Amino acid sequence: MKIFSDKKPGFSKCIFTVKKEVIIMEELFELRTCLEQGRYNDAMALIGEMENMSKDDKISKVESFTIVLLVHLIKKEAEKRTTRSRELSIRNALREISRVNKRRKSGGYYLKEEELRETVHEAYEDALDNAALEAFEGRYSESELAEIVDEEKIRKEALQLILERQIKGK
């Protein structure tokens, strides 16, 4: 369910997804109330909560694209071949990770190298599960596919590709 609003000047059809954005809107209204009433400590606490919610959202999106990246790296190694489609999926996943992770106004990135390493580590199991369904037409189980590929090598490659993409800034 979506809410469409174009009532404010300068805003053309702002779209808010009900669950997440309504919570953010409630936080913004509460923030305004705190500021109007001079409750600056409460306002600062709300800003902190909103920053955390934003970062959690960024982490979730980066993790989703990292799973896509890892699935294709796992399949590439397991099948000992690549395809244009696979290379395109890898490139698109890297572009989206970099885009989502980049701080627009202040520069830099939300997730630093160590946090990206953790994300790659945490995403690997889900990626292996997905890759098992896709590689070799799904003939191997997750554990069988795990024996075919070098997990550490794939994790390192994924992190290296992510970091290289961020350095390029593309």
Side-chain angles (χ1 to χ4, degrees):
M1 185 162 139
K2 303 227 184 241
I3 298 172
F4 297 93
S5 172
D6 59 354
K7 296 182 184 202
K8 296 227 178 197
F11 289 83
S12 60
K13 297 186 181 174
C14 295
I15 302 171
F16 302 105
T17 306
V18 170
K19 281 186 178 180
K20 186 172 39 171
E21 278 75 6
V22 166
I23 292 170
I24 292 171
M25 292 303 297
E26 289 172 4
E27 298 287 341
L28 286 172
F29 289 131
E30 189 174 343
L31 176 61
R32 171 181 235 138
T33 302
C34 289
L35 290 172
E36 288 172 346
Q37 294 174 355
R39 297 177 15 235
Y40 300 112
N41 288 337
D42 291 343
M44 292 305 293
L46 280 169
I47 290 170
E49 287 177 32
M50 291 168 67
E51 286 174 341
N52 287 337
M53 288 179 355
S54 175
K55 187 168 183 180
D56 288 347
D57 183 54
K58 298 289 184 184
I59 291 169
S60 178
K61 288 178 181 176
V62 167
E63 186 171 14
S64 292
F65 289 117
T66 300
I67 290 170
V68 172
L69 171 64
L70 287 166
V71 164
H72 291 288
L73 292 176
I74 291 167
K75 288 169 32 180
K76 183 177 176 179
E77 180 171 317
E79 294 176 344
K80 307 286 189 238
R81 69 183 184 89
T82 192
T83 63
R84 286 186 200 166
S85 174
R86 186 171 296 157
E87 291 301 321
L88 181 61
S89 293
I90 289 169
R91 193 170 64 213
N92 288 340
L94 289 168
R95 180 177 34 245
E96 291 304 309
I97 290 167
S98 183
R99 184 186 64 77
V100 168
N101 195 30
K102 186 163 183 61
R103 291 181 181 269
R104 301 286 180 272
K105 294 186 180 187
S106 62
Y109 294 93
Y110 290 99
L111 293 133
K112 306 294 183 226
E113 183 173 343
E114 190 53 41
E115 292 169 305
L116 287 168
R117 181 178 281 107
E118 274 180 48
T119 301
V120 168
H121 183 78
E122 291 170 4
Y124 188 85
E125 199 170 311
D126 287 336
L128 184 64
D129 182 47
N130 292 345
L133 296 171
E134 295 181 25
F136 303 106
E137 287 81 40
R139 286 184 291 223
Y140 296 103
S141 69
E142 182 180 336
S143 59
E144 291 169 324
L145 187 59
E147 292 177 24
I148 296 172
V149 298
D150 182 345
E151 178 179 342
E152 189 59 31
K153 177 185 166 198
I154 293 169
R155 284 183 181 175
K156 283 182 180 178
E157 181 181 3
L159 181 61
Q160 180 182 350
L161 289 169
I162 292 168
L163 294 173
E164 286 173 358
R165 178 67 188 214
Q166 288 185 170
I167 289 169
K168 286 181 184 177
K170 290 184 177 179

